[in-house]
Amino acid sequence: MKTLMLATLSAAALMAAQPLAAKTLIYCSEGSPENFAPSVNTTGTSFDANTQIYDTLVQFERGGTKVVPALAEKWDISADGLVYTFNLRKGVKWHNTRAFKPTRDFNADDFIFMIDRQWKESDPYYKVTSSNHSYFNDMGMPKLLKSVEKIDDYTIRITLNRPEAPFLSDLAMQYASIQSKEYADAMLKAGTPEKIDQDPIGTGPFSLVQYQKDAIIRYKAHPDYWAGKAKIDDLIFAITPDASVRWAKLQKGECHVMPYPNPADLDAMKKDANVQILEQPGLNIGYLAYNTAKKPFDDVKVRHAVNMAINKKAIIDAVYLSSGIAAINPIPPSMWSYNETVKDDPFDPEASKKMLAEAGYPNGMEIDLWAMPVQRPYNPNAKRIAELMQADLAKVGIKAEIKTFEWGEYRKRLQAGEHQTGMFGWTGDNGDPDNFLHTLLGCDASKNNGGNVAKFCYQPFEDLVQKAKSISDTAQRTELYRQAQVIFKEQSPWFTIAHAVQLKPIRKEVKDFKLSPFSRHVFYGVDITN
């Protein structure tokens, strides 16, 4: 993307340069977005950057999981749960930027473009930026959708091949963010289709002004936003990968909100009169995935042996401190259908050695142990956790070589299945257990480039989560998901590490910032006192 001369200025200098009447909020983000293509993004970092720009058909209420209207004013669902009819909001304006000057408002064509781009290989935008539409595919959308029809400019009808209980919530997720078909057509005609993902326009509360990778993202409030102009005029993402540096900037007032604090800094933060810490249970899971499609982890005995070799409590005490709880199931305890009767594998090195011998490895083995290079909401320090795991495994005769790559490369290689074991994690997108159990552990997502990095496709488990998707009764779904968690633990495709508490240090001058259950950072509705 072309950058402006202002790109060399610091976020603090940019804030000082604003007119006195303008309200500027600086968010010290932890990294650069993958791109501005919602259909191919997979990280919270990218979701944060994109959610300021785009809208979805429906959305989650601020700070909650309830689905409320967005670009669709209202909707109707047929009695059999197969047909969804959406009445679209009229008069919704696109951003008017240097990249493109729209000639029409948002309409049904834009929603259909978003779907077709991910669904139909014949669509000219299917391969633009990336053909790996991970969320769309991992959730089984290609098989779920029967048709998406434009009834008129402001009415859409979606017909499914089978009932899908979480479908409405799925449409509020980031992959379903809506881009302009008019802009896409113009860029295709100009021979520069990738520009819609580099110089994006949306209907969201903020328009993109400037992006310099690893440095800064600048947004301006959309004056014609359908829900009313944002309370802040300018939003700046000061890209600051180091948590200690983010904390230093927050102390100095060089940023107003920061994500993912170092657990060791929390005591100092609590003593700072200019800072408050927002806190709530995290809808997340950090784990070590075993590649069940590769030896030796195609053997469930080996997976259980490794589980018993690792001291989970020591990891949580040393790395998460007071900000994490031990994970047993693949969903967090705050999520409905959590099965509290499931027992974790004990930390028992002697039993681990015995099981390794039974599996044919009396003298141990050599494996790889992939560790993320970045701090994530579910894992504050993957490198340190890998070192602790490595030491534990050595005691049972397993020599683990720690490997890592640049974050984008790490995810790509992990999803391609190059690893034997790899640390990863997840923050929920919609508050539904399906978003964990099917999206992370289902057969649709186990294919190359899918989010199921354990490559776990186990039919008894798959049958339960598929059945749970197809019925609307919460009690019945709960029972199916509880059974699925039992099978998950029996098969152990992951070593479940921890659920991290969501902690958000913000400066006292920030008003009305709400924690998202999905750990997103949404700045519409936020105010600041200068």
Side-chain angles (χ1 to χ4, degrees), residues 196-270:
I196 74 162
D197 300 329
Q198 297 172 350
D199 290 310
I201 68 168
T203 61
F206 297 94
S207 61
L208 182 70
V209 175
Q210 172 206 358
Y211 170 48
Q212 183 180 3
K213 183 176 168 59
D214 299 330
I216 198 167
I217 312 175
R218 294 187 65 228
Y219 305 89
K220 198 159 197 71
H222 181 15
D224 300 314
Y225 187 51
W226 58 268
K229 183 178 176 292
K231 295 175 183 177
I232 55 175
D233 302 289
D234 297 279
L235 174 63
I236 295 170
F237 279 31
I239 298 168
T240 313
D242 189 296
S244 297
V245 177
R246 292 198 296 273
W247 168 222
K249 287 184 175 182
L250 193 77
Q251 286 175 287
K252 295 173 186 174
E254 293 179 7
C255 67
H256 301 105
V257 179
M258 67 165 281
Y260 320 133
N262 278 330
D265 290 332
L266 290 175
D267 284 344
M269 291 177 177
K270 290 172 182 176

Coordinates of all heavy atoms in Angstrom, one line a residue, residues 196-270:
I196 N -8.6 -4.0 -3.6 CA -9.8 -3.9 -2.6 C -9.4 -4.5 -1.2 O -10.0 -4.1 -0.2 CB -11.0 -4.7 -3.1 CG1 -10.9 -6.2 -3.1 CG2 -11.4 -4.2 -4.5 CD1 -12.2 -6.9 -3.2
D197 N -8.3 -5.3 -1.2 CA -7.8 -5.8 0.1 C -6.6 -5.1 0.6 O -6.1 -5.4 1.7 CB -7.4 -7.3 -0.1 CG -8.5 -8.2 -0.6 OD1 -9.7 -7.9 -0.2 OD2 -8.3 -9.2 -1.3
Q198 N -6.1 -4.1 -0.2 CA -5.0 -3.3 0.2 C -5.4 -1.8 0.6 O -4.8 -1.2 1.5 CB -3.9 -3.3 -0.9 CG -3.3 -4.7 -1.2 CD -2.5 -4.7 -2.4 OE1 -2.4 -3.7 -3.2 NE2 -1.8 -5.8 -2.6
D199 N -6.2 -1.3 -0.3 CA -6.8 0.1 0.0 C -8.3 -0.1 0.2 O -9.1 0.2 -0.7 CB -6.5 1.0 -1.2 CG -5.1 1.4 -1.4 OD1 -4.5 1.8 -0.4 OD2 -4.5 1.2 -2.5
P200 N -8.7 -0.7 1.3 CA -10.1 -1.1 1.5 C -11.1 0.0 1.7 O -10.7 1.1 2.2 CB -10.0 -2.0 2.7 CG -8.9 -1.4 3.5 CD -7.9 -1.0 2.5
I201 N -12.3 -0.2 1.2 CA -13.4 0.7 1.7 C -14.5 -0.3 2.2 O -14.6 -1.4 1.8 CB -14.0 1.6 0.6 CG1 -14.7 0.7 -0.5 CG2 -12.9 2.4 0.0 CD1 -15.5 1.6 -1.5
G202 N -15.2 0.3 3.2 CA -16.3 -0.5 3.8 C -17.4 0.4 4.2 O -17.4 1.6 3.7
T203 N -18.3 -0.1 5.0 CA -19.4 0.8 5.5 C -19.3 1.0 7.0 O -20.2 1.5 7.6 CB -20.8 0.1 5.2 OG1 -20.8 -1.2 5.9 CG2 -21.0 -0.1 3.7
G204 N -18.2 0.5 7.5 CA -18.0 0.5 9.0 C -17.7 1.9 9.6 O -17.7 2.9 8.9
P205 N -17.6 2.0 10.9 CA -17.5 3.3 11.6 C -16.3 4.1 11.3 O -16.3 5.3 11.6 CB -17.6 2.9 13.1 CG -17.1 1.5 13.1 CD -17.6 0.8 11.8
F206 N -15.2 3.4 10.8 CA -14.0 4.2 10.5 C -13.5 3.8 9.1 O -13.6 2.6 8.7 CB -12.9 3.8 11.6 CG -13.2 4.2 13.0 CD1 -13.8 3.3 13.8 CD2 -13.0 5.5 13.4 CE1 -14.1 3.7 15.1 CE2 -13.3 5.9 14.7 CZ -13.9 5.0 15.6
S207 N -12.9 4.8 8.4 CA -12.3 4.5 7.1 C -10.8 4.5 7.3 O -10.2 5.2 8.2 CB -12.7 5.6 6.1 OG -12.3 6.9 6.5
L208 N -10.1 3.7 6.5 CA -8.6 3.6 6.6 C -8.0 4.9 5.9 O -8.4 5.2 4.8 CB -8.2 2.4 5.9 CG -6.7 2.1 5.9 CD1 -6.2 1.8 7.3 CD2 -6.3 1.0 4.9
V209 N -7.1 5.5 6.6 CA -6.4 6.6 6.0 C -5.0 6.2 5.6 O -4.5 6.6 4.5 CB -6.3 7.8 7.1 CG1 -5.4 8.9 6.6 CG2 -7.7 8.2 7.5
Q210 N -4.3 5.4 6.4 CA -2.9 5.0 6.1 C -2.6 3.8 6.8 O -3.0 3.5 8.0 CB -2.0 6.2 6.6 CG -0.6 5.9 6.5 CD 0.2 6.7 7.6 OE1 -0.4 7.5 8.3 NE2 1.5 6.5 7.6
Y211 N -1.7 3.0 6.2 CA -1.2 1.8 6.8 C 0.3 1.6 6.5 O 0.6 1.6 5.3 CB -1.9 0.5 6.4 CG -1.3 -0.8 6.8 CD1 -0.8 -1.0 8.2 CD2 -1.1 -1.8 5.9 CE1 -0.2 -2.2 8.6 CE2 -0.5 -3.0 6.3 CZ -0.1 -3.2 7.6 OH 0.5 -4.4 8.0
Q212 N 1.1 1.5 7.5 CA 2.5 1.2 7.3 C 2.8 0.0 8.1 O 2.8 0.0 9.3 CB 3.5 2.3 7.7 CG 4.9 2.0 7.4 CD 5.9 3.1 7.8 OE1 5.5 4.1 8.3 NE2 7.2 2.9 7.5
K213 N 3.1 -1.1 7.4 CA 3.4 -2.4 8.1 C 4.4 -2.3 9.3 O 5.4 -1.6 9.1 CB 3.8 -3.5 7.1 CG 4.0 -4.9 7.7 CD 4.4 -5.8 6.6 CE 4.9 -7.2 7.1 NZ 3.9 -7.9 7.9
D214 N 4.0 -2.9 10.4 CA 4.9 -2.9 11.6 C 5.1 -1.5 12.2 O 6.0 -1.4 13.1 CB 6.3 -3.6 11.3 CG 6.1 -5.0 10.8 OD1 5.2 -5.7 11.2 OD2 7.0 -5.4 10.0
A215 N 4.3 -0.6 11.8 CA 4.5 0.8 12.4 C 3.1 1.4 12.8 O 2.9 1.6 14.0 CB 5.1 1.7 11.3
I216 N 2.2 1.6 11.9 CA 1.0 2.4 12.2 C -0.2 2.1 11.3 O 0.0 1.7 10.1 CB 1.4 3.9 12.2 CG1 0.3 4.7 12.9 CG2 1.6 4.4 10.7 CD1 0.8 6.1 13.2
I217 N -1.3 2.2 11.8 CA -2.6 2.2 11.0 C -3.3 3.4 11.5 O -3.5 3.6 12.7 CB -3.5 1.0 11.2 CG1 -2.7 -0.3 11.1 CG2 -4.6 1.0 10.2 CD1 -3.5 -1.6 11.4
R218 N -3.8 4.2 10.6 CA -4.6 5.4 10.9 C -6.0 5.3 10.3 O -6.1 5.0 9.1 CB -3.9 6.7 10.4 CG -2.6 7.0 11.0 CD -2.0 8.4 10.6 NE -2.9 9.4 11.1 CZ -3.3 10.4 10.3 NH1 -3.0 10.5 9.1 NH2 -4.1 11.4 10.9
Y219 N -7.0 5.6 11.1 CA -8.4 5.6 10.7 C -9.0 7.0 11.0 O -8.6 7.7 11.9 CB -9.2 4.5 11.4 CG -8.7 3.1 11.4 CD1 -7.7 2.7 12.3 CD2 -9.1 2.2 10.4 CE1 -7.3 1.4 12.4 CE2 -8.7 0.9 10.4 CZ -7.8 0.5 11.4 OH -7.3 -0.8 11.4
K220 N -10.0 7.3 10.2 CA -10.8 8.5 10.5 C -12.3 8.1 10.6 O -12.8 7.2 9.9 CB -10.7 9.5 9.3 CG -11.1 10.9 9.7 CD -10.4 11.9 8.8 CE -10.5 13.3 9.4 NZ -9.6 13.5 10.5
A221 N -13.0 8.7 11.5 CA -14.4 8.4 11.7 C -15.2 8.6 10.4 O -15.0 9.6 9.7 CB -15.0 9.3 12.8
H222 N -16.0 7.6 10.1 CA -16.9 7.7 8.9 C -18.0 8.7 9.2 O -18.9 8.4 10.0 CB -17.4 6.3 8.6 CG -18.3 6.2 7.4 ND1 -18.4 7.1 6.4 CD2 -19.2 5.2 7.0 CE1 -19.3 6.7 5.5 NE2 -19.7 5.5 5.9
P223 N -18.1 9.9 8.5 CA -19.1 10.9 8.9 C -20.5 10.5 8.6 O -21.4 11.0 9.2 CB -18.7 12.1 8.0 CG -17.9 11.5 6.9 CD -17.2 10.3 7.4
D224 N -20.7 9.5 7.7 CA -22.1 9.1 7.3 C -22.4 7.7 7.8 O -23.2 7.0 7.2 CB -22.2 9.2 5.8 CG -22.0 10.5 5.2 OD1 -22.5 11.5 5.8 OD2 -21.2 10.7 4.2
Y225 N -21.8 7.3 8.9 CA -22.0 5.9 9.4 C -23.5 5.7 9.7 O -24.1 6.6 10.4 CB -21.1 5.6 10.6 CG -21.2 4.2 11.0 CD1 -21.0 3.1 10.2 CD2 -21.4 3.9 12.4 CE1 -21.0 1.8 10.6 CE2 -21.5 2.6 12.8 CZ -21.3 1.5 11.9 OH -21.3 0.2 12.3
W226 N -24.0 4.6 9.3 CA -25.5 4.4 9.4 C -26.0 4.4 10.9 O -27.1 4.8 11.1 CB -25.9 3.1 8.7 CG -25.2 1.8 9.3 CD1 -24.1 1.3 8.8 CD2 -25.6 1.0 10.4 NE1 -23.7 0.2 9.6 CE2 -24.7 0.0 10.5 CE3 -26.7 1.1 11.3 CZ2 -24.8 -1.0 11.5 CZ3 -26.8 0.1 12.3 CH2 -25.8 -0.9 12.4
A227 N -25.1 4.1 11.8 CA -25.5 4.1 13.2 C -25.2 5.4 13.9 O -25.4 5.5 15.1 CB -24.9 2.9 13.9
G228 N -24.6 6.3 13.2 CA -24.2 7.6 13.8 C -22.7 7.7 13.9 O -22.0 6.7 14.1
K229 N -22.1 8.9 13.7 CA -20.7 9.1 13.7 C -20.1 8.6 15.0 O -20.7 8.8 16.1 CB -20.4 10.5 13.4 CG -18.9 10.8 13.3 CD -18.7 12.3 12.9 CE -17.2 12.7 13.0 NZ -16.6 12.6 14.3
A230 N -18.9 8.0 15.0 CA -18.2 7.6 16.2 C -17.9 8.8 17.1 O -17.8 10.0 16.6 CB -16.9 6.9 15.8
K231 N -17.7 8.6 18.4 CA -17.5 9.6 19.3 C -16.1 10.2 19.2 O -15.8 11.3 19.5 CB -17.7 9.1 20.8 CG -19.2 8.8 21.0 CD -19.3 8.1 22.4 CE -20.8 7.7 22.7 NZ -20.9 7.1 24.0
I232 N -15.1 9.3 18.8 CA -13.8 9.8 18.5 C -13.6 10.1 17.1 O -14.3 9.5 16.2 CB -12.7 8.7 19.0 CG1 -13.0 7.4 18.3 CG2 -12.7 8.6 20.5 CD1 -11.9 6.3 18.6
D233 N -12.7 11.0 16.8 CA -12.6 11.5 15.4 C -11.5 10.7 14.6 O -11.6 10.4 13.5 CB -12.2 13.0 15.3 CG -13.3 13.8 16.0 OD1 -14.3 14.0 15.4 OD2 -13.0 14.3 17.1
D234 N -10.4 10.4 15.4 CA -9.3 9.7 14.8 C -8.9 8.5 15.7 O -8.8 8.7 16.9 CB -8.1 10.7 14.6 CG -8.4 11.9 13.7 OD1 -8.3 11.7 12.5 OD2 -8.8 12.9 14.2
L235 N -8.6 7.4 15.0 CA -8.2 6.2 15.7 C -6.8 5.8 15.1 O -6.7 5.7 13.9 CB -9.2 5.1 15.4 CG -8.9 3.7 16.0 CD1 -8.8 3.7 17.5 CD2 -10.0 2.7 15.5
I236 N -5.9 5.6 16.0 CA -4.5 5.2 15.6 C -4.2 3.9 16.2 O -4.3 3.7 17.4 CB -3.5 6.3 16.0 CG1 -3.8 7.6 15.2 CG2 -2.1 5.8 15.7 CD1 -3.0 8.8 15.7
F237 N -3.7 2.9 15.4 CA -3.1 1.7 15.9 C -1.6 1.9 15.8 O -1.0 1.9 14.8 CB -3.5 0.5 15.0 CG -4.8 -0.1 15.3 CD1 -5.9 0.6 15.7 CD2 -5.0 -1.5 15.1 CE1 -7.1 0.1 15.9 CE2 -6.3 -2.1 15.3 CZ -7.4 -1.3 15.7
A238 N -1.0 2.0 17.0 CA 0.5 2.1 17.1 C 1.0 0.7 17.3 O 0.8 0.1 18.3 CB 0.9 3.0 18.2
I239 N 1.5 0.1 16.2 CA 1.9 -1.3 16.2 C 3.1 -1.5 17.1 O 4.2 -1.1 16.8 CB 2.1 -1.8 14.8 CG1 0.8 -1.7 14.0 CG2 2.6 -3.3 14.8 CD1 0.9 -1.9 12.5
T240 N 2.9 -2.3 18.2 CA 4.0 -2.4 19.3 C 4.0 -3.8 19.8 O 3.3 -4.2 20.7 CB 3.6 -1.4 20.5 OG1 3.2 -0.1 20.0 CG2 4.7 -1.3 21.4
P241 N 4.8 -4.7 19.1 CA 4.8 -6.1 19.5 C 5.2 -6.4 20.9 O 4.8 -7.4 21.4 CB 5.8 -6.7 18.4 CG 5.9 -5.7 17.3 CD 5.7 -4.4 18.0
D242 N 6.1 -5.7 21.5 CA 6.6 -6.0 22.8 C 5.7 -5.5 23.9 O 5.4 -4.3 24.0 CB 8.0 -5.3 23.0 CG 8.7 -5.8 24.3 OD1 8.2 -5.6 25.4 OD2 9.8 -6.5 24.1
A243 N 5.2 -6.4 24.8 CA 4.2 -6.1 25.8 C 4.8 -5.1 26.8 O 4.1 -4.2 27.3 CB 3.8 -7.4 26.5
S244 N 6.1 -5.2 27.1 CA 6.7 -4.2 28.0 C 6.7 -2.8 27.5 O 6.5 -1.8 28.2 CB 8.2 -4.7 28.4 OG 8.1 -5.9 29.0
V245 N 7.0 -2.7 26.2 CA 7.0 -1.4 25.5 C 5.5 -0.9 25.5 O 5.3 0.3 25.7 CB 7.6 -1.5 24.1 CG1 7.5 -0.2 23.4 CG2 9.0 -2.0 24.1
R246 N 4.6 -1.7 25.2 CA 3.2 -1.3 25.2 C 2.8 -0.7 26.6 O 2.2 0.4 26.7 CB 2.2 -2.4 24.9 CG 2.3 -3.0 23.5 CD 1.1 -3.8 23.1 NE 0.9 -5.0 23.8 CZ 1.4 -6.2 23.5 NH1 2.3 -6.3 22.5 NH2 1.2 -7.3 24.2
W247 N 3.3 -1.4 27.7 CA 3.0 -0.9 29.0 C 3.7 0.4 29.3 O 3.1 1.4 29.8 CB 3.4 -2.0 30.0 CG 3.5 -1.6 31.5 CD1 4.5 -1.9 32.3 CD2 2.5 -0.8 32.2 NE1 4.2 -1.4 33.6 CE2 3.0 -0.7 33.5 CE3 1.3 -0.2 31.9 CZ2 2.3 0.0 34.5 CZ3 0.6 0.5 32.9 CH2 1.1 0.6 34.2
A248 N 4.9 0.6 28.8 CA 5.6 1.9 29.0 C 4.9 3.0 28.3 O 4.8 4.1 28.8 CB 7.0 1.7 28.5
K249 N 4.4 2.7 27.1 CA 3.6 3.7 26.3 C 2.3 4.1 27.0 O 1.9 5.3 27.1 CB 3.3 3.2 24.9 CG 4.5 3.2 24.0 CD 4.1 2.8 22.6 CE 5.3 2.8 21.6 NZ 4.8 2.5 20.2
L250 N 1.7 3.1 27.6 CA 0.4 3.3 28.3 C 0.7 4.2 29.5 O -0.1 5.2 29.8 CB -0.2 2.0 28.7 CG -1.7 2.1 29.2 CD1 -2.6 2.3 28.0 CD2 -2.1 0.9 30.0
Q251 N 1.7 4.0 30.2 CA 2.1 4.8 31.4 C 2.3 6.2 31.0 O 1.9 7.1 31.8 CB 3.4 4.2 32.1 CG 3.2 2.9 32.8 CD 4.5 2.4 33.3 OE1 5.3 1.9 32.6 NE2 4.7 2.5 34.6
K252 N 3.0 6.5 29.9 CA 3.3 7.8 29.5 C 2.1 8.5 28.8 O 2.3 9.7 28.4 CB 4.5 7.8 28.5 CG 5.8 7.3 29.1 CD 6.8 7.1 28.0 CE 8.1 6.4 28.6 NZ 9.1 6.2 27.5
G253 N 1.1 7.8 28.5 CA -0.1 8.4 27.8 C 0.2 8.4 26.3 O -0.6 9.1 25.6
E254 N 1.1 7.6 25.8 CA 1.4 7.6 24.4 C 0.4 6.6 23.7 O 0.4 6.5 22.5 CB 2.8 7.2 24.1 CG 3.8 8.2 24.5 CD 5.3 7.8 24.3 OE1 5.5 6.7 23.7 OE2 6.2 8.6 24.7
C255 N -0.3 5.8 24.5 CA -1.4 5.1 24.0 C -2.4 5.0 25.1 O -2.1 5.2 26.3 CB -1.0 3.7 23.4 SG -0.4 2.5 24.7
H256 N -3.7 4.7 24.7 CA -4.8 4.7 25.6 C -5.3 3.3 26.0 O -5.9 3.2 27.1 CB -5.9 5.5 25.1 CG -5.5 7.0 24.8 ND1 -5.3 7.4 23.5 CD2 -5.3 8.0 25.6 CE1 -5.0 8.7 23.5 NE2 -5.0 9.1 24.8
V257 N -5.1 2.4 25.1 CA -5.6 1.0 25.3 C -4.5 0.1 24.9 O -3.9 0.3 23.8 CB -6.9 0.7 24.6 CG1 -7.3 -0.7 24.8 CG2 -8.0 1.7 24.9
M258 N -4.2 -1.0 25.6 CA -3.2 -2.0 25.2 C -3.8 -3.4 25.4 O -4.5 -3.7 26.4 CB -1.9 -1.8 25.9 CG -1.9 -2.1 27.4 SD -0.3 -2.3 28.2 CE 0.1 -4.0 27.7
P259 N -3.5 -4.3 24.5 CA -3.9 -5.7 24.7 C -2.8 -6.5 25.4 O -1.6 -6.2 25.3 CB -4.2 -6.2 23.3 CG -3.1 -5.5 22.5 CD -2.9 -4.1 23.2
Y260 N -3.1 -7.7 25.9 CA -2.2 -8.8 26.3 C -1.0 -8.3 27.1 O 0.2 -8.4 26.7 CB -1.7 -9.5 25.0 CG -2.8 -9.7 24.0 CD1 -2.6 -9.4 22.6 CD2 -4.0 -10.1 24.3 CE1 -3.6 -9.5 21.7 CE2 -5.0 -10.3 23.4 CZ -4.8 -10.0 22.1 OH -5.8 -10.1 21.2
P261 N -1.3 -7.8 28.3 CA -0.2 -7.4 29.2 C 0.7 -8.6 29.7 O 0.2 -9.7 29.7 CB -0.9 -6.8 30.4 CG -2.2 -7.4 30.4 CD -2.6 -7.7 29.0
N262 N 1.9 -8.4 30.0 CA 2.7 -9.4 30.6 C 2.1 -9.7 32.0 O 1.9 -8.7 32.8 CB 4.2 -8.9 30.8 CG 5.0 -9.1 29.5 OD1 4.7 -10.0 28.7 ND2 6.0 -8.3 29.3
P263 N 1.9 -10.9 32.4 CA 1.3 -11.2 33.7 C 2.2 -10.6 34.8 O 1.7 -10.1 35.8 CB 1.3 -12.7 33.8 CG 1.1 -13.1 32.3 CD 1.9 -12.1 31.5
A264 N 3.5 -10.5 34.6 CA 4.4 -10.0 35.6 C 4.3 -8.5 35.8 O 4.7 -8.0 36.8 CB 5.9 -10.3 35.2
D265 N 3.6 -7.8 34.8 CA 3.5 -6.3 35.0 C 2.2 -6.0 35.7 O 1.9 -4.8 35.9 CB 3.5 -5.7 33.6 CG 4.8 -5.7 32.9 OD1 5.8 -5.7 33.6 OD2 4.9 -5.7 31.7
L266 N 1.3 -6.9 36.0 CA 0.0 -6.6 36.5 C 0.0 -5.9 37.8 O -0.8 -5.0 38.0 CB -0.9 -7.9 36.6 CG -1.3 -8.5 35.2 CD1 -2.0 -9.9 35.5 CD2 -2.2 -7.6 34.5
D267 N 0.9 -6.3 38.7 CA 0.9 -5.6 40.0 C 1.2 -4.1 39.8 O 0.6 -3.2 40.5 CB 2.0 -6.2 40.9 CG 1.5 -7.6 41.5 OD1 0.3 -7.8 41.4 OD2 2.4 -8.3 42.0
A268 N 2.2 -3.8 39.0 CA 2.5 -2.4 38.7 C 1.4 -1.6 38.1 O 1.1 -0.5 38.4 CB 3.8 -2.3 37.9
M269 N 0.7 -2.3 37.2 CA -0.5 -1.7 36.5 C -1.6 -1.3 37.5 O -2.2 -0.3 37.5 CB -1.0 -2.6 35.5 CG -0.1 -2.8 34.3 SD -0.8 -4.0 33.1 CE 0.4 -3.9 31.8
K270 N -1.8 -2.2 38.5 CA -2.9 -2.0 39.5 C -2.5 -0.8 40.4 O -3.4 -0.2 41.0 CB -3.1 -3.3 40.3 CG -3.7 -4.4 39.5 CD -3.8 -5.7 40.3 CE -4.3 -6.9 39.4 NZ -4.3 -8.2 40.1

